[in-house]
Amino acid sequence: MFGALVAWTLATGPSAHAAPASAACLLPRTPVHHSEGVDSAPGGYAKAVGDVRALMVFLSFPDAAPALTPREVAADHYPATGDFYAQASYGKFRLHLHTVDRWLPMPRSATAYAISRDWPAADRTAYLRDALTVADPAVDFSGYDVVYLVADPDAPGVDSDATKVVNLAAPVTLDGNPLARLVTVFERHPPDRNVLAHETGHVFDLPDLYYRPPVGSNADWDTHVGDWDLMGSQFGLAPEPFAWHKWRLGWLAPDQVGCITGTGTTYHDISPDETPGGTKLLVVRTGPDSALAIEARSATGNDAGTCREGVLLYRVRSDRESGDGPIDVLDGHPGHSACAATSVYPPLADAPLGVGESYALPGGTTRVTVTGHEPGGDWAVKVTESLQGGDGAGRPG
């Protein structure tokens, strides 16, 4: 073993210190949508711990007889979504799905609702009103934390790009259960990989990590995080949630997050994000609303198809809203790409640092060096803090 969380002073001045997460590393939660702050719990969101009950309701349309049974459509999403979260949470989040095993007929065709990614509010409201009106007499909504409204995937006018979580301005109470957000599902059969797991993440206050290019632009959607974390791309090779998100969701114990403060050098063991136990996250505060996060990634579990293993660095901003770059993966190998045939964004597919490699933030305020790796286990990391400085892009060492 490398001796986790041992701190040695290698520079003059106050000693750097690594300890279980303290107030110094708790980014403040800000008013932006799905803030990455961790100093307080979000209001109005279900907790992603313990036994979480989900309800799946199936909606058909008068101009199309469903070709699939509700059970067949449900099997597209479950148990895969539940298995994903059971693995990611180390068994702390158990998603239990109840299905209404018949199609409930909507009063109008799907085309009449103008279903699309950028859905006009009036059409979206009409769809939700009709869906809940037809479902309420047939379904007992009491006791459910998550509700999925699933449209017949083969009906004309059903647009898979419109699958999303709808946040209601005021909760709708059905059978005594106040529902503040609903997942509207318009997926094909079979659906996109991990799509329901991505949308379920929003139910628990996780943000979109992809970039939304302006209309007419051909810019890439995956420049912020690439394959890393399914809240960036549901097709990514490494969809395991960032350790930062596991911290926010309550899946990490306090002693699994190390907060690095002061100047000097500290040495750490970090356990891969995909496996239970050990230190999962190191945090260096870089500004009032920003931090550097350090974790290890391995080709196991949800990340069995990952392109590269190693120590992953990323910048977190709690003042950036969902879709506006709240997390940026730092490229440990700028100018190089990997896994061009399978990665959603090859320039970041090889972002993790390997043994003997390092990365420095601007001005050398923070330098992270990987000093060792136990095959299939912990990664040894050296973190040197020289000065407290600003945020920004860095460079490999």
Side-chain angles (χ1 to χ4, degrees):
M1 296 296 293
F2 297 117
L5 297 179
V6 174
W8 296 344
T9 302
L10 297 184
T12 59
S15 172
H17 181 62
S22 65
C25 287
L26 297 177
L27 291 189
R29 183 169 181 82
T30 65
V32 302
H33 187 42
H34 294 316
S35 170
E36 292 282 17
V38 291
D39 69 336
S40 59
Y45 287 88
K47 292 185 178 180
V49 291
D51 295 299
V52 176
R53 300 183 69 224
L55 174 68
M56 188 170 280
V57 178
F58 302 92
L59 304 170
S60 63
F61 302 91
D63 59 337
L68 302 167
T69 68
R71 288 181 180 238
E72 288 173 318
V73 177
D76 280 342
H77 305 285
Y78 192 88
T81 301
D83 291 345
F84 179 92
Y85 279 109
Q87 173 78 32
S89 68
Y90 320 116
K92 294 183 179 179
F93 172 21
R94 299 174 295 277
L95 185 68
H96 303 280
L97 182 69
H98 174 77
T99 60
V100 179
D101 292 327
R102 63 188 177 96
W103 291 103
L104 301 179
M106 293 284 279
R108 296 195 288 166
S109 68
T111 54
Y113 295 105
I115 298 166
S116 65
R117 181 180 185 89
D118 296 313
W119 211 352
D123 295 316
R124 182 178 64 237
T125 299
Y127 180 85
L128 289 173
R129 182 188 62 240
D130 288 350
L132 295 178
T133 298
V134 301
D136 191 26
V139 179
D140 182 358
F141 284 89
S142 61
Y144 289 103
D145 304 290
V146 185
V147 175
Y148 304 110
L149 300 175
V150 183
D152 174 8
D154 298 312
V158 170
D159 180 1
S160 62
D161 207 32
T163 294
K164 64 173 57 180
V165 171
V166 178
N167 296 287
L168 304 179
V172 174
T173 300
L174 297 174
D175 300 312
N177 185 10
L179 300 173
R181 53 197 52 83
L182 302 159
V183 185
T184 53
V185 182
F186 300 103
E187 290 302 304
R188 310 176 192 88
H189 170 73
D192 291 344
R193 184 166 68 92
N194 285 330
V195 64
L196 204 67
H198 173 101
E199 299 303 334
T200 301
H202 289 315
V203 175
F204 298 101
D205 195 35
L206 297 185
D208 281 321
L209 301 181
Y210 53 74
Y211 165 68
R212 180 82 184 271
V215 175
S217 170
N218 60 358
D220 201 295
W221 287 59
D222 298 304
T223 55
H224 286 300
V225 301
D227 293 277
W228 311 98
D229 196 306
L230 85 164
M231 300 312 294
S233 173
Q234 61 217 38
F235 302 106
L237 300 177
E240 186 80 356
F242 287 125
W244 186 276
H245 284 165
K246 297 186 180 189
W247 186 22
R248 283 189 55 200
L249 295 174
W251 301 343
L252 300 182
D255 62 0
Q256 291 185 286
V257 181
C259 179
I260 300 172
T261 60
T263 57
T265 296
T266 53
Y267 292 82
H268 315 266
D269 289 348
I270 49 177
S271 172
D273 190 37
E274 301 82 2
T275 59
T279 299
K280 288 285 181 272
L281 177 65
L282 302 176
V283 181
V284 180
R285 189 71 168 266
T286 58
D289 302 298
S290 65
L292 171 69
I294 306 165
E295 66 182 63
R297 302 297 285 257
S298 65
T300 56
N302 292 326
D303 283 354
T306 193
C307 185
R308 292 289 188 272
E309 297 182 311
V311 174
L312 189 69
L313 280 61
Y314 50 97
R315 182 177 52 219
V316 184
R317 294 285 301 268
S318 66
D319 59 346
R320 296 279 182 88
E321 68 178 13
S322 178
D324 192 33
I327 291 182
D328 280 294
V329 166
L330 302 180
D331 191 353
H333 304 93
H336 297 273
S337 297
C339 303
T342 52
S343 170
V344 300
Y345 190 64
L348 286 180
D350 61 349
L353 301 174
V355 176
E357 296 179 329
S358 64
Y359 189 96
L361 289 185
T365 57
T366 303
R367 177 178 291 272
V368 180
T369 303
V370 181
T371 60
H373 176 220
E374 292 183 345
D378 291 0
W379 291 76
V381 176
K382 178 176 71 172
V383 181
T384 301
E385 280 287 287
S386 299
L387 296 169
Q388 295 299 316
D391 212 356
R395 63 183 188 277

Coordinates of all heavy atoms in Angstrom, one line a residue, residues 247-311:
W247 N -20.3 12.4 -4.3 CA -20.3 13.2 -3.1 C -21.6 13.9 -2.9 O -22.2 13.9 -1.8 CB -19.1 14.1 -3.2 CG -18.8 14.9 -1.9 CD1 -19.1 14.6 -0.6 CD2 -18.0 16.1 -1.9 NE1 -18.6 15.5 0.2 CE2 -17.9 16.5 -0.5 CE3 -17.4 16.9 -2.8 CZ2 -17.3 17.6 -0.1 CZ3 -16.7 18.0 -2.4 CH2 -16.7 18.4 -1.0
R248 N -22.1 14.6 -3.9 CA -23.3 15.4 -3.8 C -24.5 14.5 -3.5 O -25.4 14.9 -2.8 CB -23.6 16.1 -5.2 CG -22.7 17.4 -5.4 CD -23.2 18.1 -6.7 NE -24.6 18.4 -6.6 CZ -25.4 18.6 -7.6 NH1 -24.9 18.7 -8.8 NH2 -26.7 18.9 -7.4
L249 N -24.5 13.3 -4.1 CA -25.7 12.4 -3.9 C -25.7 11.6 -2.6 O -26.6 10.9 -2.3 CB -25.8 11.5 -5.1 CG -26.1 12.2 -6.5 CD1 -26.0 11.1 -7.6 CD2 -27.4 12.8 -6.5
G250 N -24.6 11.7 -1.9 CA -24.5 11.0 -0.6 C -24.0 9.6 -0.7 O -24.2 8.8 0.3
W251 N -23.3 9.3 -1.7 CA -22.8 7.9 -1.9 C -21.4 7.8 -1.3 O -20.9 6.6 -1.2 CB -22.8 7.5 -3.4 CG -24.1 7.6 -4.0 CD1 -25.4 7.6 -3.4 CD2 -24.4 7.6 -5.4 NE1 -26.4 7.6 -4.3 CE2 -25.8 7.6 -5.5 CE3 -23.6 7.6 -6.6 CZ2 -26.5 7.7 -6.8 CZ3 -24.2 7.6 -7.8 CH2 -25.6 7.6 -7.9
L252 N -20.7 8.9 -1.0 CA -19.4 8.8 -0.4 C -19.5 9.2 1.1 O -20.1 10.2 1.4 CB -18.4 9.8 -1.2 CG -18.2 9.5 -2.6 CD1 -17.2 10.5 -3.2 CD2 -17.8 8.1 -2.9
A253 N -18.7 8.5 1.9 CA -18.6 8.9 3.3 C -17.6 10.1 3.4 O -16.8 10.3 2.5 CB -18.1 7.7 4.1
P254 N -17.7 10.8 4.5 CA -16.9 12.0 4.6 C -15.4 11.7 4.5 O -14.6 12.5 3.9 CB -17.2 12.5 6.0 CG -18.6 12.1 6.3 CD -18.7 10.8 5.6
D255 N -15.0 10.5 5.0 CA -13.5 10.2 5.0 C -13.1 9.7 3.6 O -11.9 9.3 3.4 CB -13.2 9.2 6.0 CG -13.9 7.8 5.9 OD1 -14.7 7.7 5.0 OD2 -13.6 7.0 6.8
Q256 N -14.0 9.6 2.6 CA -13.6 9.2 1.3 C -13.4 10.4 0.4 O -13.0 10.3 -0.8 CB -14.8 8.4 0.6 CG -14.9 7.0 1.2 CD -15.9 6.2 0.5 OE1 -17.2 6.4 0.7 NE2 -15.5 5.2 -0.3
V257 N -13.5 11.7 0.9 CA -13.2 12.9 0.2 C -12.1 13.6 1.0 O -12.3 14.0 2.1 CB -14.5 13.8 0.1 CG1 -14.2 15.0 -0.7 CG2 -15.6 13.0 -0.6
G258 N -11.0 13.9 0.3 CA -9.9 14.6 0.9 C -9.9 16.1 0.5 O -10.0 16.4 -0.7
C259 N -9.7 17.0 1.4 CA -9.7 18.4 1.1 C -8.2 18.9 1.4 O -7.7 18.7 2.5 CB -10.6 19.2 2.1 SG -10.6 21.0 1.8
I260 N -7.6 19.4 0.3 CA -6.2 19.8 0.4 C -6.1 21.3 0.6 O -6.6 22.1 -0.3 CB -5.5 19.4 -0.9 CG1 -5.5 17.9 -1.1 CG2 -4.0 19.8 -0.9 CD1 -5.0 17.3 -2.4
T261 N -5.5 21.7 1.6 CA -5.4 23.2 1.9 C -3.9 23.5 2.3 O -3.1 22.6 2.6 CB -6.3 23.5 3.1 OG1 -5.9 22.8 4.3 CG2 -7.7 23.3 2.8
G262 N -3.6 24.8 2.2 CA -2.3 25.2 2.6 C -1.3 25.0 1.4 O -1.6 24.5 0.4
T263 N 0.0 25.3 1.7 CA 1.1 25.1 0.7 C 1.9 23.9 1.2 O 2.0 23.6 2.4 CB 1.9 26.4 0.6 OG1 2.5 26.7 1.8 CG2 1.1 27.5 0.0
G264 N 2.6 23.3 0.2 CA 3.4 22.1 0.5 C 3.0 21.0 -0.4 O 2.3 21.1 -1.4
T265 N 3.4 19.8 0.0 CA 3.2 18.6 -0.8 C 2.5 17.5 0.0 O 2.9 17.3 1.2 CB 4.5 18.1 -1.4 OG1 5.0 19.0 -2.3 CG2 4.2 16.8 -2.2
T266 N 1.5 16.9 -0.5 CA 0.8 15.8 0.1 C 0.8 14.5 -0.8 O 0.9 14.7 -2.0 CB -0.6 16.1 0.5 OG1 -1.3 16.6 -0.6 CG2 -0.6 17.2 1.6
Y267 N 0.8 13.4 -0.2 CA 0.8 12.1 -0.9 C -0.5 11.4 -0.6 O -0.9 11.3 0.6 CB 2.0 11.2 -0.6 CG 3.3 11.8 -1.0 CD1 4.0 12.8 -0.3 CD2 3.9 11.4 -2.2 CE1 5.2 13.3 -0.8 CE2 5.1 11.9 -2.7 CZ 5.7 12.9 -2.0 OH 6.9 13.4 -2.4
H268 N -1.1 10.8 -1.6 CA -2.4 10.1 -1.4 C -2.5 8.8 -2.2 O -1.9 8.7 -3.2 CB -3.5 11.1 -1.9 CG -3.4 12.5 -1.5 ND1 -3.9 13.0 -0.3 CD2 -2.7 13.5 -2.0 CE1 -3.6 14.3 -0.2 NE2 -2.8 14.6 -1.2
D269 N -3.3 7.9 -1.7 CA -3.9 6.8 -2.5 C -5.3 7.2 -2.8 O -6.1 7.6 -2.0 CB -3.9 5.5 -1.6 CG -2.6 4.9 -1.3 OD1 -1.6 5.4 -2.0 OD2 -2.5 4.0 -0.5
I270 N -5.7 7.0 -4.1 CA -7.1 7.2 -4.4 C -7.5 5.9 -5.1 O -6.9 5.3 -6.0 CB -7.3 8.4 -5.3 CG1 -6.4 8.5 -6.5 CG2 -7.3 9.6 -4.5 CD1 -6.7 9.7 -7.4
S271 N -8.7 5.4 -4.7 CA -9.3 4.2 -5.2 C -10.1 4.5 -6.4 O -10.8 5.6 -6.5 CB -10.1 3.6 -4.1 OG -10.9 2.5 -4.6
P272 N -10.1 3.6 -7.4 CA -10.9 3.9 -8.6 C -12.4 4.2 -8.3 O -13.0 3.6 -7.4 CB -10.8 2.6 -9.5 CG -9.5 2.1 -9.0 CD -9.4 2.4 -7.6
D273 N -12.9 5.2 -9.0 CA -14.3 5.6 -8.9 C -15.3 4.5 -9.0 O -16.4 4.5 -8.4 CB -14.6 6.7 -9.9 CG -15.9 7.4 -9.7 OD1 -16.3 7.7 -8.6 OD2 -16.6 7.7 -10.7
E274 N -15.0 3.5 -9.8 CA -15.9 2.4 -10.1 C -16.0 1.3 -9.1 O -16.9 0.4 -9.1 CB -15.5 1.7 -11.4 CG -15.5 2.7 -12.6 CD -14.2 3.5 -12.7 OE1 -13.3 3.3 -11.9 OE2 -14.1 4.3 -13.7
T275 N -15.1 1.3 -8.1 CA -15.0 0.2 -7.1 C -15.3 0.8 -5.7 O -14.9 1.9 -5.4 CB -13.7 -0.5 -7.1 OG1 -12.6 0.5 -6.8 CG2 -13.4 -1.1 -8.5
P276 N -15.9 0.0 -4.8 CA -16.3 0.5 -3.5 C -15.0 0.6 -2.6 O -14.0 -0.1 -2.8 CB -17.2 -0.6 -2.9 CG -16.9 -1.8 -3.7 CD -16.5 -1.4 -5.1
G277 N -15.1 1.5 -1.6 CA -14.1 1.6 -0.6 C -12.9 2.5 -1.0 O -12.7 2.8 -2.2
G278 N -12.2 3.0 0.0 CA -11.1 3.9 -0.2 C -11.4 5.3 -0.5 O -12.6 5.7 -0.6
T279 N -10.4 6.1 -0.6 CA -10.5 7.6 -0.9 C -10.9 7.7 -2.4 O -10.2 7.2 -3.2 CB -9.2 8.3 -0.6 OG1 -8.9 8.2 0.8 CG2 -9.4 9.8 -1.0
K280 N -12.0 8.4 -2.6 CA -12.5 8.5 -4.0 C -12.2 9.9 -4.6 O -12.2 10.0 -5.9 CB -14.0 8.3 -4.0 CG -14.4 6.8 -3.7 CD -14.1 6.0 -5.0 CE -14.5 4.6 -4.8 NZ -13.5 3.7 -4.2
L281 N -12.0 10.9 -3.8 CA -12.0 12.3 -4.4 C -11.1 13.1 -3.6 O -11.1 13.1 -2.4 CB -13.4 12.9 -4.4 CG -13.6 14.3 -4.9 CD1 -13.2 14.4 -6.4 CD2 -15.0 14.8 -4.6
L282 N -10.2 13.9 -4.3 CA -9.4 14.9 -3.7 C -9.8 16.3 -4.2 O -10.1 16.4 -5.4 CB -7.9 14.7 -4.0 CG -7.3 13.4 -3.6 CD1 -5.8 13.3 -4.1 CD2 -7.4 13.2 -2.1
V283 N -9.9 17.3 -3.4 CA -10.5 18.6 -3.8 C -9.5 19.6 -3.4 O -9.0 19.7 -2.3 CB -11.8 18.8 -3.1 CG1 -12.4 20.2 -3.6 CG2 -12.8 17.7 -3.5
V284 N -9.2 20.5 -4.3 CA -8.4 21.7 -4.1 C -9.2 22.9 -4.5 O -9.6 23.1 -5.6 CB -7.1 21.7 -4.9 CG1 -6.3 23.0 -4.6 CG2 -6.3 20.5 -4.7
R285 N -9.5 23.8 -3.5 CA -10.3 25.0 -3.8 C -9.5 25.9 -4.6 O -8.4 26.3 -4.3 CB -10.8 25.6 -2.4 CG -11.8 26.7 -2.6 CD -13.1 26.2 -3.0 NE -14.2 27.2 -2.8 CZ -14.9 27.4 -1.7 NH1 -14.7 26.6 -0.7 NH2 -15.8 28.3 -1.6
T286 N -10.1 26.4 -5.7 CA -9.4 27.4 -6.6 C -10.0 28.7 -6.7 O -9.5 29.6 -7.3 CB -9.3 26.8 -8.0 OG1 -10.6 26.5 -8.5 CG2 -8.4 25.5 -8.0
G287 N -11.2 28.9 -6.1 CA -11.9 30.2 -6.1 C -13.1 30.1 -5.3 O -13.5 29.1 -4.8
P288 N -13.9 31.2 -5.2 CA -15.1 31.3 -4.4 C -16.1 30.2 -4.8 O -16.8 29.7 -4.0 CB -15.6 32.7 -4.6 CG -14.4 33.5 -5.0 CD -13.6 32.6 -5.8
D289 N -16.2 30.0 -6.1 CA -17.2 29.0 -6.6 C -16.6 27.9 -7.5 O -17.2 27.3 -8.3 CB -18.2 29.8 -7.5 CG -18.9 30.9 -6.7 OD1 -19.6 30.5 -5.7 OD2 -18.8 32.0 -7.1
S290 N -15.3 27.7 -7.3 CA -14.6 26.7 -8.2 C -13.6 25.9 -7.4 O -13.1 26.2 -6.3 CB -13.8 27.5 -9.3 OG -12.8 28.3 -8.7
A291 N -13.4 24.7 -7.9 CA -12.4 23.7 -7.3 C -11.8 22.8 -8.4 O -12.4 22.6 -9.4 CB -13.2 22.9 -6.3
L292 N -10.7 22.3 -8.1 CA -10.0 21.2 -8.8 C -10.4 19.9 -8.2 O -10.2 19.8 -7.0 CB -8.5 21.4 -8.9 CG -7.7 20.2 -9.5 CD1 -8.0 20.1 -11.0 CD2 -6.2 20.4 -9.2
A293 N -10.9 19.0 -9.0 CA -11.3 17.6 -8.4 C -10.3 16.6 -9.0 O -10.0 16.7 -10.2 CB -12.7 17.3 -8.8
I294 N -9.9 15.6 -8.2 CA -9.0 14.6 -8.6 C -9.6 13.3 -8.3 O -9.9 13.0 -7.1 CB -7.6 14.8 -7.9 CG1 -7.1 16.2 -8.2 CG2 -6.6 13.7 -8.4 CD1 -5.9 16.6 -7.2
E295 N -9.6 12.4 -9.2 CA -10.1 11.0 -9.0 C -9.4 10.0 -9.9 O -8.8 10.4 -10.8 CB -11.7 10.9 -9.2 CG -12.1 11.1 -10.6 CD -13.6 11.1 -10.7 OE1 -14.3 12.0 -10.1 OE2 -14.1 10.2 -11.4
A296 N -9.6 8.7 -9.6 CA -9.1 7.7 -10.5 C -10.2 7.0 -11.2 O -11.3 6.8 -10.7 CB -8.3 6.7 -9.6
R297 N -9.9 6.5 -12.5 CA -10.8 5.8 -13.3 C -10.2 4.5 -13.8 O -9.0 4.5 -14.2 CB -11.3 6.7 -14.5 CG -12.0 8.0 -14.1 CD -13.2 7.8 -13.2 NE -14.3 7.4 -14.0 CZ -15.3 8.2 -14.4 NH1 -15.3 9.5 -14.1 NH2 -16.3 7.8 -15.1
S298 N -11.0 3.4 -13.8 CA -10.6 2.1 -14.3 C -11.6 1.5 -15.2 O -12.8 1.9 -15.2 CB -10.3 1.2 -13.1 OG -11.5 0.9 -12.4
A299 N -11.1 0.5 -15.9 CA -12.0 -0.2 -16.9 C -12.7 -1.3 -16.2 O -12.5 -2.5 -16.5 CB -11.2 -0.7 -18.1
T300 N -13.6 -1.0 -15.3 CA -14.4 -2.0 -14.6 C -15.9 -1.4 -14.4 O -16.1 -0.2 -14.6 CB -13.9 -2.2 -13.2 OG1 -13.8 -1.0 -12.5 CG2 -12.5 -2.9 -13.3
G301 N -16.8 -2.3 -14.1 CA -18.2 -1.9 -13.8 C -18.8 -1.2 -15.0 O -18.7 -1.6 -16.1
N302 N -19.4 0.0 -14.6 CA -20.1 0.8 -15.7 C -19.1 1.3 -16.7 O -19.5 1.7 -17.8 CB -20.8 2.0 -15.0 CG -22.0 1.5 -14.2 OD1 -22.7 0.6 -14.6 ND2 -22.3 2.2 -13.1
D303 N -17.8 1.3 -16.3 CA -16.8 1.9 -17.2 C -15.9 0.8 -17.9 O -14.8 1.0 -18.3 CB -15.8 2.8 -16.4 CG -16.4 4.2 -16.2 OD1 -17.5 4.4 -16.7 OD2 -15.8 4.9 -15.4
A304 N -16.5 -0.4 -18.0 CA -15.8 -1.5 -18.6 C -15.2 -1.2 -20.0 O -14.2 -1.8 -20.4 CB -16.6 -2.8 -18.6
G305 N -15.9 -0.3 -20.7 CA -15.5 0.0 -22.0 C -14.7 1.2 -22.2 O -14.5 1.7 -23.3
T306 N -14.2 1.7 -21.0 CA -13.4 3.0 -21.1 C -12.2 2.9 -22.0 O -11.6 1.9 -22.1 CB -13.0 3.4 -19.6 OG1 -12.6 4.8 -19.7 CG2 -11.9 2.6 -19.1
C307 N -11.8 4.1 -22.5 CA -10.7 4.1 -23.4 C -9.4 4.1 -22.7 O -8.4 3.5 -23.2 CB -10.9 5.4 -24.3 SG -9.7 5.6 -25.6
R308 N -9.2 4.8 -21.6 CA -8.0 4.9 -20.9 C -8.3 4.9 -19.4 O -9.2 5.5 -18.9 CB -7.2 6.2 -21.2 CG -6.7 6.3 -22.7 CD -5.5 5.3 -22.9 NE -4.9 5.5 -24.2 CZ -5.3 4.9 -25.3 NH1 -6.4 4.1 -25.3 NH2 -4.7 5.2 -26.4
E309 N -7.4 4.3 -18.6 CA -7.4 4.3 -17.2 C -6.4 5.4 -16.7 O -5.5 5.8 -17.4 CB -7.0 2.9 -16.6 CG -8.0 1.8 -17.0 CD -7.6 0.5 -16.3 OE1 -6.4 0.1 -16.4 OE2 -8.5 -0.1 -15.7
G310 N -6.6 5.8 -15.4 CA -5.6 6.7 -14.8 C -6.3 7.7 -13.9 O -7.4 7.5 -13.4
V311 N -5.6 8.8 -13.6 CA -6.0 9.8 -12.7 C -6.6 10.9 -13.5 O -5.9 11.6 -14.3 CB -4.9 10.3 -11.8 CG1 -5.3 11.4 -10.9 CG2 -4.4 9.1 -10.9

